[in-house]
Structure formats: C-alpha cells, structure tokens
C-alpha cells in the first residue's frame, strides 16, 4: 500500500492532506523521516505521525439502538445519519445493514464488511426480522384471525409483482402486534398493515436473526458486536 493511502485510511486526513504532512516532515517509517507519498509499505513497517503510531482501521460490526428521526443513508439530508451517532475512527465508512425508515426505532446493524452485510440481508437466506407495531385502530376477534391467516399466506402489496413471503403475526393485544418477516421490502411492515386496512403508529425492530437488541442500549447508543455475535450470520 502507498504511504499516502495508508495515512488517509488510518487517520482523518485526505490523501492531499497526507501528502502535505509528509512534506512537512511529520511522518516517520521505521524511525526515519519519510516524505515520499508513493513509498510502498511492507506489512511490518512501523508508521508514526507526529510521534503517534498509526494502524489501519479493521472491519467493524456495530449494533445501534436507532432512535426516531435518524436516516439510514450515506448522504446528508434533513435528518442525522445513523453513522453520525457512531464514535469510531472513519465512521463514515460504515454502511447500514439494511434500512429502517426515519420514524422506525430499534435494532440497526452497521458494518464496513460488505460480504457480512450481504449475508445478513440476502433474500436467499431469509433472515428473520422481528418488529413490534403499535396500530392506529384495534385489531381483534375475527378480523385479527383473518389478519394472522393473511400474513401467513402472503400479502399483496401495491406496486409489487409478488406477494410477501409468509410471515408470523402475533397480536399481543388489540393495538400491539409482533410481526416476524423474512425479507426486507421497502416500508414492508407498514405496507402490510395498510393492505389490511390498518395503520402503524409506532414501529420498533427487536431482532435480526438470532441477534436481539441489547436492552442496555438506550435510543442513540451503540456498541460493537462480539465475535460470537458476528458469527451468527
């Protein structure tokens, strides 16, 4: 790897700023001042910047308790981005693993490991995602039974060519439901309830696969996943 690229990937510097730091004599390789941006580093080379040893940022896996009013996007817009809540070096490299809309809260995963993210979100794997939904109007009795059966069979969503995959709807009471889906369509949970004539007022994701939101995390808080948790996918 070129030295200027190493500097940009191990610090907050851009490649151009890294080159300036080199020209100012702020960088040493193996204890000797180095000014050549194009120098190729060996695996065991020791690089310091103003006396501080630098190391490349490895792959990260993060669990965030997403609060309301946060977007799952890399572009800056009207709302804060999920990655802006993560206090890690080069946090802008983190990508959300799937998405939650601005109003939806709960478990959100972020990573810079594209292969791992694909395993979590791949439709072929059908990774279960569990949501708690608060409904606008009561769903009970025979209507609730029909809804459970309809969700288990698959719901026709407006604009989609195929019905949803079978899902598991559990009514906790007349206004609160737990829904397990096995795919990740656009606004899927909200659209499914809309298709049966209801409206989701509050939506919260509890789990993805075998990974459940850490109850110790308040909205907006995050932690890195353990090796065991990463290996769940």
């Amino acid at each position: 790897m070129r030295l200027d690229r190493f500097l940009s990937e191990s610090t907050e510097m851009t490649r151009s700023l890294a080159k300036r730091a080199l020209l100012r004599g702020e960088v040493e390789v193996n204890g000797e001042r180095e000014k050549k941006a194009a120098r190729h580093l060996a695996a065991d080379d020791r690089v310091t910047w103003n006396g501080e040893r630098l190391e490349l940022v490895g792959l990260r896996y993060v669990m965030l308790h997403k609060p309301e009013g946060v977007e799952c996007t890399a572009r800056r817009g009207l709302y804060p981005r999920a990655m802006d809540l993560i206090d890690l070096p080069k946090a802008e490299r983190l990508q959300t693993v799937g998405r939650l809309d601005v109003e939806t809260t709960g478990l959100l995963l972020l990573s810079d490991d594209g292969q791992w993210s694909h395993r979590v979100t791949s439709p072929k794997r059908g990774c279960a995602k569990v949501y708690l939904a608060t409904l606008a109007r009561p769903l009970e009795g025979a209507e609730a039974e029909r809804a459970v059966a309809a969700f288990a069979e698959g719901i026709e969503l407006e604009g989609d060519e195929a019905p949803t995959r079978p899902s598991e709807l559990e009514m906790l009471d007349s206004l609160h439901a737990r829904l397990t889906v096995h795919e990740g369509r656009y606004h899927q949970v909200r659209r499914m309830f809309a298709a049966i004539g209801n409206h989701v007022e509050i939506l919260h994701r509890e789990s993805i696969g075998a990974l459940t939101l850490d109850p110790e995390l308040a909205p907006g808080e995050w932690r890195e996943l353990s090796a065991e948790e990463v290996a769940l996918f």
Side-chain angles (χ1 to χ4, degrees):
M1 178 183 294
R2 282 173 53 116
L3 180 54
D4 58 345
R5 179 183 171 191
F6 176 91
L7 291 170
S8 70
E9 293 195 3
S10 59
T11 70
E12 297 299 319
M13 290 189 288
T14 62
R15 292 281 281 271
S16 62
L17 289 176
K19 291 176 181 178
R20 294 176 191 174
L22 287 164
L23 292 175
R24 290 194 298 266
E26 298 173 359
V27 179
E28 293 185 353
V29 178
N30 302 326
E32 296 184 1
R33 188 171 298 175
E34 178 60 75
K35 294 188 175 184
K36 294 180 180 178
R39 172 169 175 170
H40 282 270
L41 297 173
D44 58 351
D45 281 340
R46 185 178 187 274
V47 180
T48 59
W49 176 37
N50 290 327
E52 179 183 354
R53 177 147 189 198
L54 301 180
E55 295 183 358
L56 289 176
V57 175
L59 296 175
R60 285 83 55 85
Y61 309 86
V62 172
M63 170 190 293
L64 170 68
H65 185 161
K66 180 190 170 299
E68 187 176 357
V70 170
E71 284 187 314
C72 297
T73 179
R75 294 178 296 179
R76 295 191 182 277
L78 296 176
Y79 301 93
R81 304 173 303 171
M83 65 186 66
D84 294 332
L85 303 180
I86 311 301
D87 185 19
L88 285 174
K90 298 289 184 179
E92 68 277 4
R93 294 184 185 174
L94 296 170
Q95 300 291 323
T96 60
V97 183
R99 293 191 173 190
L100 295 176
D101 62 46
V102 171
E103 294 82 13
T104 301
T105 64
L107 176 60
L108 180 66
L109 300 177
L110 300 96
S111 180
D112 43 18
D113 183 344
Q115 292 184 343
W116 184 81
S117 298
H118 178 72
R119 290 200 297 272
V120 178
T121 59
S122 173
K124 293 181 179 180
R125 290 179 174 264
C127 186
K129 291 172 277 291
V130 181
Y131 295 84
L132 288 177
T134 299
L135 305 179
R137 67 174 186 81
L139 184 59
E140 53 193 348
E143 185 183 16
E145 292 178 2
R146 289 194 296 271
V148 170
F151 278 37
E153 182 177 348
I155 298 289
E156 297 279 353
L157 299 180
E158 184 177 354
D160 288 5
E161 295 182 357
T164 61
R165 291 183 181 181
S167 57
E168 296 81 55
L169 174 63
E170 175 190 3
M171 295 305 302
L172 305 176
D173 58 43
S174 62
L175 287 175
H176 298 89
R178 176 175 284 114
L179 178 63
T180 303
V181 299
H182 303 274
E183 54 189 336
R185 303 190 191 188
Y186 179 73
H187 288 175
Q188 180 173 347
V189 174
R190 297 182 187 276
R191 293 169 67 204
M192 289 175 73
F193 279 103
I196 62 169
N198 214 312
H199 175 74
V200 175
E201 296 281 1
I202 301 173
L203 189 59
H204 177 86
R205 184 156 65 189
E206 286 188 314
S207 63
I208 301 173
L211 185 61
T212 300
L213 178 63
D214 189 333
E216 298 297 318
L217 294 179
E221 293 184 340
W222 62 276
R223 68 168 175 81
E224 293 192 70
L225 298 184
S226 67
E228 292 76 16
E229 289 171 328
V230 173
L232 292 173
F233 302 97

